[in-house]
PDB file of all heavy atoms in Angstrom:
ATOM      1  N   ASP A  40     -54.169-190.969 -42.069  1.00 97.00           N
ATOM      2  CA  ASP A  40     -53.950-190.744 -43.505  1.00 97.00           C
ATOM      3  C   ASP A  40     -54.719-189.488 -43.922  1.00 97.00           C
ATOM      4  O   ASP A  40     -55.954-189.503 -43.936  1.00 97.00           O
ATOM      5  CB  ASP A  40     -54.451-191.985 -44.270  1.00 97.00           C
ATOM      6  CG  ASP A  40     -54.294-191.812 -45.775  1.00 97.00           C
ATOM      7  OD1 ASP A  40     -53.944-190.696 -46.226  1.00 97.00           O
ATOM      8  OD2 ASP A  40     -54.540-192.797 -46.497  1.00 97.00           O
ATOM      9  N   PRO A  41     -53.991-188.409 -44.272  1.00 98.00           N
ATOM     10  CA  PRO A  41     -54.676-187.149 -44.603  1.00 98.00           C
ATOM     11  C   PRO A  41     -55.745-187.324 -45.691  1.00 98.00           C
ATOM     12  O   PRO A  41     -56.720-186.580 -45.717  1.00 98.00           O
ATOM     13  CB  PRO A  41     -53.539-186.244 -45.092  1.00 98.00           C
ATOM     14  CG  PRO A  41     -52.299-186.817 -44.484  1.00 98.00           C
ATOM     15  CD  PRO A  41     -52.529-188.294 -44.342  1.00 98.00           C
ATOM     16  N   ALA A  42     -55.590-188.324 -46.539  1.00 98.00           N
ATOM     17  CA  ALA A  42     -56.601-188.555 -47.580  1.00 98.00           C
ATOM     18  C   ALA A  42     -57.949-188.957 -46.973  1.00 98.00           C
ATOM     19  O   ALA A  42     -58.976-188.898 -47.642  1.00 98.00           O
ATOM     20  CB  ALA A  42     -56.108-189.628 -48.540  1.00 98.00           C
ATOM     21  N   HIS A  43     -57.942-189.383 -45.713  1.00 98.00           N
ATOM     22  CA  HIS A  43     -59.192-189.817 -45.064  1.00 98.00           C
ATOM     23  C   HIS A  43     -59.669-188.852 -43.982  1.00 98.00           C
ATOM     24  O   HIS A  43     -60.494-189.233 -43.141  1.00 98.00           O
ATOM     25  CB  HIS A  43     -59.025-191.222 -44.489  1.00 98.00           C
ATOM     26  CG  HIS A  43     -58.954-192.282 -45.548  1.00 98.00           C
ATOM     27  ND1 HIS A  43     -60.052-192.664 -46.293  1.00 98.00           N
ATOM     28  CD2 HIS A  43     -57.913-192.997 -46.019  1.00 98.00           C
ATOM     29  CE1 HIS A  43     -59.686-193.597 -47.160  1.00 98.00           C
ATOM     30  NE2 HIS A  43     -58.389-193.819 -47.019  1.00 98.00           N
ATOM     31  N   ALA A  44     -59.165-187.614 -44.014  1.00 98.00           N
ATOM     32  CA  ALA A  44     -59.591-186.641 -42.992  1.00 98.00           C
ATOM     33  C   ALA A  44     -61.096-186.393 -43.091  1.00 98.00           C
ATOM     34  O   ALA A  44     -61.799-186.355 -42.073  1.00 98.00           O
ATOM     35  CB  ALA A  44     -58.810-185.342 -43.160  1.00 98.00           C
ATOM     36  N   GLU A  45     -61.596-186.265 -44.320  1.00 98.00           N
ATOM     37  CA  GLU A  45     -63.025-186.002 -44.498  1.00 98.00           C
ATOM     38  C   GLU A  45     -63.848-187.206 -44.010  1.00 98.00           C
ATOM     39  O   GLU A  45     -64.907-187.044 -43.386  1.00 98.00           O
ATOM     40  CB  GLU A  45     -63.293-185.703 -45.977  1.00 98.00           C
ATOM     41  CG  GLU A  45     -64.656-185.110 -46.274  1.00 98.00           C
ATOM     42  CD  GLU A  45     -65.059-183.975 -45.324  1.00 98.00           C
ATOM     43  OE1 GLU A  45     -64.216-183.108 -45.029  1.00 98.00           O
ATOM     44  OE2 GLU A  45     -66.222-183.996 -44.857  1.00 98.00           O
ATOM     45  N   ASP A  46     -63.361-188.410 -44.275  1.00 98.00           N
ATOM     46  CA  ASP A  46     -64.067-189.598 -43.779  1.00 98.00           C
ATOM     47  C   ASP A  46     -64.115-189.608 -42.253  1.00 98.00           C
ATOM     48  O   ASP A  46     -65.115-190.022 -41.653  1.00 98.00           O
ATOM     49  CB  ASP A  46     -63.357-190.869 -44.266  1.00 98.00           C
ATOM     50  CG  ASP A  46     -63.513-191.062 -45.770  1.00 98.00           C
ATOM     51  OD1 ASP A  46     -64.619-190.810 -46.291  1.00 98.00           O
ATOM     52  OD2 ASP A  46     -62.525-191.452 -46.424  1.00 98.00           O
ATOM     53  N   THR A  47     -63.026-189.155 -41.635  1.00 98.00           N
ATOM     54  CA  THR A  47     -63.009-189.141 -40.165  1.00 98.00           C
ATOM     55  C   THR A  47     -64.035-188.124 -39.646  1.00 98.00           C
ATOM     56  O   THR A  47     -64.692-188.351 -38.634  1.00 98.00           O
ATOM     57  CB  THR A  47     -61.589-188.838 -39.651  1.00 98.00           C
ATOM     58  OG1 THR A  47     -60.665-189.674 -40.348  1.00 98.00           O
ATOM     59  CG2 THR A  47     -61.473-189.096 -38.158  1.00 98.00           C
ATOM     60  N   ARG A  48     -64.169-187.006 -40.387  1.00 98.00           N
ATOM     61  CA  ARG A  48     -65.211-186.040 -39.989  1.00 98.00           C
ATOM     62  C   ARG A  48     -66.606-186.640 -40.178  1.00 98.00           C
ATOM     63  O   ARG A  48     -67.486-186.468 -39.344  1.00 98.00           O
ATOM     64  CB  ARG A  48     -65.065-184.742 -40.793  1.00 98.00           C
ATOM     65  CG  ARG A  48     -63.940-183.853 -40.231  1.00 98.00           C
ATOM     66  CD  ARG A  48     -63.891-182.489 -40.883  1.00 98.00           C
ATOM     67  NE  ARG A  48     -63.019-182.497 -42.047  1.00 98.00           N
ATOM     68  CZ  ARG A  48     -61.695-182.331 -41.990  1.00 98.00           C
ATOM     69  NH1 ARG A  48     -61.082-182.117 -40.830  1.00 98.00           N
ATOM     70  NH2 ARG A  48     -60.961-182.368 -43.074  1.00 98.00           N
ATOM     71  N   ARG A  49     -66.805-187.392 -41.262  1.00 98.00           N
ATOM     72  CA  ARG A  49     -68.112-188.047 -41.477  1.00 98.00           C
ATOM     73  C   ARG A  49     -68.384-189.052 -40.368  1.00 98.00           C
ATOM     74  O   ARG A  49     -69.510-189.217 -39.906  1.00 98.00           O
ATOM     75  CB  ARG A  49     -68.102-188.810 -42.808  1.00 98.00           C
ATOM     76  CG  ARG A  49     -68.491-187.953 -43.997  1.00 98.00           C
ATOM     77  CD  ARG A  49     -68.983-188.840 -45.124  1.00 98.00           C
ATOM     78  NE  ARG A  49     -67.979-189.794 -45.573  1.00 98.00           N
ATOM     79  CZ  ARG A  49     -68.198-191.080 -45.814  1.00 98.00           C
ATOM     80  NH1 ARG A  49     -69.407-191.599 -45.626  1.00 98.00           N
ATOM     81  NH2 ARG A  49     -67.226-191.866 -46.223  1.00 98.00           N
ATOM     82  N   SER A  50     -67.329-189.729 -39.962  1.00 98.00           N
ATOM     83  CA  SER A  50     -67.480-190.734 -38.905  1.00 98.00           C
ATOM     84  C   SER A  50     -67.884-190.061 -37.582  1.00 98.00           C
ATOM     85  O   SER A  50     -68.784-190.537 -36.870  1.00 98.00           O
ATOM     86  CB  SER A  50     -66.167-191.505 -38.804  1.00 98.00           C
ATOM     87  OG  SER A  50     -65.980-192.077 -37.576  1.00 98.00           O
ATOM     88  N   ALA A  51     -67.258-188.902 -37.279  1.00 98.00           N
ATOM     89  CA  ALA A  51     -67.645-188.160 -36.069  1.00 98.00           C
ATOM     90  C   ALA A  51     -69.100-187.712 -36.179  1.00 98.00           C
ATOM     91  O   ALA A  51     -69.873-187.815 -35.212  1.00 98.00           O
ATOM     92  CB  ALA A  51     -66.721-186.962 -35.872  1.00 98.00           C
ATOM     93  N   ASP A  52     -69.496-187.224 -37.358  1.00 98.00           N
ATOM     94  CA  ASP A  52     -70.897-186.807 -37.550  1.00 98.00           C
ATOM     95  C   ASP A  52     -71.845-187.974 -37.303  1.00 98.00           C
ATOM     96  O   ASP A  52     -72.890-187.820 -36.664  1.00 98.00           O
ATOM     97  CB  ASP A  52     -71.127-186.293 -38.984  1.00 98.00           C
ATOM     98  CG  ASP A  52     -70.464-184.941 -39.213  1.00 98.00           C
ATOM     99  OD1 ASP A  52     -70.112-184.278 -38.211  1.00 98.00           O
ATOM    100  OD2 ASP A  52     -70.287-184.564 -40.390  1.00 98.00           O
ATOM    101  N   ALA A  53     -71.469-189.145 -37.822  1.00 98.00           N
ATOM    102  CA  ALA A  53     -72.345-190.313 -37.666  1.00 98.00           C
ATOM    103  C   ALA A  53     -72.478-190.675 -36.184  1.00 98.00           C
ATOM    104  O   ALA A  53     -73.578-190.972 -35.697  1.00 98.00           O
ATOM    105  CB  ALA A  53     -71.784-191.492 -38.455  1.00 98.00           C
ATOM    106  N   VAL A  54     -71.363-190.613 -35.445  1.00 99.00           N
ATOM    107  CA  VAL A  54     -71.419-190.935 -34.013  1.00 99.00           C
ATOM    108  C   VAL A  54     -72.270-189.885 -33.280  1.00 99.00           C
ATOM    109  O   VAL A  54     -73.083-190.219 -32.404  1.00 99.00           O
ATOM    110  CB  VAL A  54     -70.003-191.017 -33.402  1.00 99.00           C
ATOM    111  CG1 VAL A  54     -70.060-191.156 -31.892  1.00 99.00           C
ATOM    112  CG2 VAL A  54     -69.214-192.171 -34.020  1.00 99.00           C
ATOM    113  N   ALA A  55     -72.113-188.621 -33.664  1.00 98.00           N
ATOM    114  CA  ALA A  55     -72.890-187.553 -33.016  1.00 98.00           C
ATOM    115  C   ALA A  55     -74.390-187.777 -33.240  1.00 98.00           C
ATOM    116  O   ALA A  55     -75.200-187.633 -32.305  1.00 98.00           O
ATOM    117  CB  ALA A  55     -72.463-186.190 -33.558  1.00 98.00           C
ATOM    118  N   THR A  56     -74.758-188.170 -34.463  1.00 98.00           N
ATOM    119  CA  THR A  56     -76.176-188.444 -34.748  1.00 98.00           C
ATOM    120  C   THR A  56     -76.680-189.609 -33.892  1.00 98.00           C
ATOM    121  O   THR A  56     -77.777-189.553 -33.321  1.00 98.00           O
ATOM    122  CB  THR A  56     -76.357-188.770 -36.251  1.00 98.00           C
ATOM    123  OG1 THR A  56     -75.868-187.652 -37.002  1.00 98.00           O
ATOM    124  CG2 THR A  56     -77.798-189.039 -36.605  1.00 98.00           C
ATOM    125  N   LEU A  57     -75.865-190.654 -33.773  1.00 98.00           N
ATOM    126  CA  LEU A  57     -76.278-191.804 -32.954  1.00 98.00           C
ATOM    127  C   LEU A  57     -76.464-191.384 -31.490  1.00 98.00           C
ATOM    128  O   LEU A  57     -77.377-191.850 -30.810  1.00 98.00           O
ATOM    129  CB  LEU A  57     -75.241-192.930 -33.059  1.00 98.00           C
ATOM    130  CG  LEU A  57     -75.133-193.608 -34.439  1.00 98.00           C
ATOM    131  CD1 LEU A  57     -73.925-194.549 -34.478  1.00 98.00           C
ATOM    132  CD2 LEU A  57     -76.411-194.380 -34.770  1.00 98.00           C
ATOM    133  N   ALA A  58     -75.580-190.483 -31.023  1.00 98.00           N
ATOM    134  CA  ALA A  58     -75.693-190.027 -29.627  1.00 98.00           C
ATOM    135  C   ALA A  58     -76.977-189.223 -29.434  1.00 98.00           C
ATOM    136  O   ALA A  58     -77.696-189.397 -28.441  1.00 98.00           O
ATOM    137  CB  ALA A  58     -74.471-189.190 -29.247  1.00 98.00           C
ATOM    138  N   ARG A  59     -77.267-188.353 -30.385  1.00 98.00           N
ATOM    139  CA  ARG A  59     -78.521-187.570 -30.315  1.00 98.00           C
ATOM    140  C   ARG A  59     -79.712-188.522 -30.283  1.00 98.00           C
ATOM    141  O   ARG A  59     -80.600-188.392 -29.447  1.00 98.00           O
ATOM    142  CB  ARG A  59     -78.625-186.662 -31.537  1.00 98.00           C
ATOM    143  CG  ARG A  59     -78.465-185.209 -31.181  1.00 98.00           C
ATOM    144  CD  ARG A  59     -78.449-184.328 -32.437  1.00 98.00           C
ATOM    145  NE  ARG A  59     -77.157-183.657 -32.516  1.00 98.00           N
ATOM    146  CZ  ARG A  59     -76.284-183.780 -33.489  1.00 98.00           C
ATOM    147  NH1 ARG A  59     -76.544-184.542 -34.533  1.00 98.00           N
ATOM    148  NH2 ARG A  59     -75.138-183.145 -33.426  1.00 98.00           N
ATOM    149  N   ASP A  60     -79.691-189.515 -31.181  1.00 98.00           N
ATOM    150  CA  ASP A  60     -80.814-190.452 -31.251  1.00 98.00           C
ATOM    151  C   ASP A  60     -80.922-191.297 -29.985  1.00 98.00           C
ATOM    152  O   ASP A  60     -81.982-191.839 -29.683  1.00 98.00           O
ATOM    153  CB  ASP A  60     -80.674-191.370 -32.477  1.00 98.00           C
ATOM    154  CG  ASP A  60     -80.814-190.587 -33.775  1.00 98.00           C
ATOM    155  OD1 ASP A  60     -81.234-189.404 -33.726  1.00 98.00           O
ATOM    156  OD2 ASP A  60     -80.485-191.150 -34.848  1.00 98.00           O
ATOM    157  N   ALA A  61     -79.808-191.427 -29.260  1.00 98.00           N
ATOM    158  CA  ALA A  61     -79.846-192.197 -28.005  1.00 98.00           C
ATOM    159  C   ALA A  61     -80.225-191.297 -26.826  1.00 98.00           C
ATOM    160  O   ALA A  61     -80.027-191.667 -25.670  1.00 98.00           O
ATOM    161  CB  ALA A  61     -78.506-192.873 -27.756  1.00 98.00           C
ATOM    162  N   GLY A  62     -80.726-190.102 -27.119  1.00 98.00           N
ATOM    163  CA  GLY A  62     -81.323-189.275 -26.061  1.00 98.00           C
ATOM    164  C   GLY A  62     -80.383-188.334 -25.355  1.00 98.00           C
ATOM    165  O   GLY A  62     -80.718-187.815 -24.274  1.00 98.00           O
ATOM    166  N   ALA A  63     -79.191-188.059 -25.922  1.00 98.00           N
ATOM    167  CA  ALA A  63     -78.257-187.152 -25.247  1.00 98.00           C
ATOM    168  C   ALA A  63     -78.890-185.773 -25.074  1.00 98.00           C
ATOM    169  O   ALA A  63     -79.599-185.288 -25.958  1.00 98.00           O
ATOM    170  CB  ALA A  63     -76.969-187.037 -26.053  1.00 98.00           C
ATOM    171  N   ALA A  64     -78.593-185.147 -23.926  1.00 98.00           N
ATOM    172  CA  ALA A  64     -79.099-183.792 -23.693  1.00 98.00           C
ATOM    173  C   ALA A  64     -78.273-182.776 -24.470  1.00 98.00           C
ATOM    174  O   ALA A  64     -78.761-181.714 -24.839  1.00 98.00           O
ATOM    175  CB  ALA A  64     -79.056-183.486 -22.195  1.00 98.00           C
TER     176      ALA A  64
END
Side-chain angles (χ1 to χ4, degrees):
D40 178 352
H43 289 288
E45 193 46 44
D46 291 320
T47 312
R48 281 188 270 276
R49 273 202 300 135
S50 156
D52 289 344
V54 172
T56 302
L57 292 171
R59 250 175 242 119
D60 293 348

